[in-house]
Amino acid sequence: MNRLAVYCGSATPADPRYVALARDTGAVLARRGIGVVYGGGTRGLMGALAEGALAEGGEVIGVIPEALAATAEVANHACTELHTVATMHERKLRFTDLSDGFLTLPGGVGTMDELWEAVSWAQLGYHTKPVGLLNAFGFYDGLVAFNRTMVDTGFIRPMHQDIIMVETELEPLLQRMADHRPHRPIFAMAAEEL
């Protein structure tokens, strides 16, 4: 993996562990020679992620929509590259094009949108890249349980149940992502298998 798209919140939670997690993740990725592709902002976990990677001399590529660069977020001009795009959809497509996989840290609605699109596109066959979820501090326990419910009720096929790789620590998650073997996507399945 040369680059990972890292999804995380632009908010700064009261609990300082989340910001520290993002900063440490950026630093670890940089030390491993893995570039960071992220939302391009300076605030919250996103900003901490970029700071951590840049402090270690890592590659940081920001992708930020025009509207966010101009208002709600401050674009991070310290990035190795900063791409300004027209829409959120274009942003997510650029994340996919520029990365070799997807790593999700704690975040809110936008982070969930990015995660589920990466999962959906993997399931369908639009990409064959690993999708990792760092369940630090039990933040995603409910989401992991809900994903299991979707598997158990048959809304997620058995061959797709492990698209989301979940770990509570970064190093084992990165190893699983590096060892990733693509599953059989829906686009390659016969009609009777659907």
Side-chain angles (χ1 to χ4, degrees):
M1 298 181 297
N2 295 314
R3 290 183 184 146
L4 287 178
V6 182
Y7 301 141
C8 59
S10 61
T12 303
D15 186 338
R17 295 180 302 169
Y18 292 102
V19 171
L21 173 72
R23 188 175 291 111
D24 292 346
T25 297
V28 167
L29 293 176
R31 286 194 296 268
R32 290 183 115 195
I34 299 172
V36 170
V37 181
Y38 87 115
T42 58
R43 299 184 181 170
L45 272 66
M46 281 202 288
L49 171 78
E51 286 174 14
L54 290 168
E56 294 290 332
E59 176 188 48
V60 177
I61 300 173
V63 184
I64 190 165
E66 294 166 355
L68 290 176
T71 58
E73 292 182 18
V74 177
N76 189 350
H77 296 283
C79 292
T80 311
E81 297 176 28
L82 182 63
H83 301 251
T84 302
V85 295
T87 66
M88 291 296 280
H89 181 73
E90 189 178 343
R91 180 193 217 184
K92 291 185 290 182
L93 181 60
R94 189 76 58 95
F95 286 155
T96 301
D97 291 343
L98 291 171
S99 71
D100 300 311
F102 309 91
L103 172 62
T104 301
L105 306 181
V109 173
T111 303
M112 290 300 88
D113 175 52
E114 292 161 342
L115 168 66
W116 287 115
E117 183 164 290
V119 172
S120 176
W121 285 15
Q123 182 176 275
L124 290 168
Y126 283 116
H127 72 75
T128 59
K129 302 171 184 182
V131 179
L133 181 69
L134 185 57
N135 187 21
F137 322 120
F139 183 80
Y140 285 120
D141 284 352
L143 185 139
V144 171
F146 177 63
N147 193 65
R148 172 53 48 200
T149 297
M150 290 189 288
V151 170
D152 291 346
T153 55
F155 287 109
I156 295 177
R157 292 164 184 86
M159 75 269 305
H160 300 143
Q161 68 184 347
D162 296 322
I163 288 175
I164 301 177
M165 299 177 204
V166 182
E167 293 289 345
T168 58
E169 300 290 333
L170 181 60
E171 292 292 351
L173 181 55
L174 292 176
Q175 188 58 57
R176 282 185 65 194
M177 293 175 72
D179 294 340
H180 168 69
R181 296 291 174 261
H183 61 279
R184 189 163 176 229
I186 288 174
F187 292 159
M189 297 170 74
E192 60 272 7
E193 297 176 284
L194 301 174

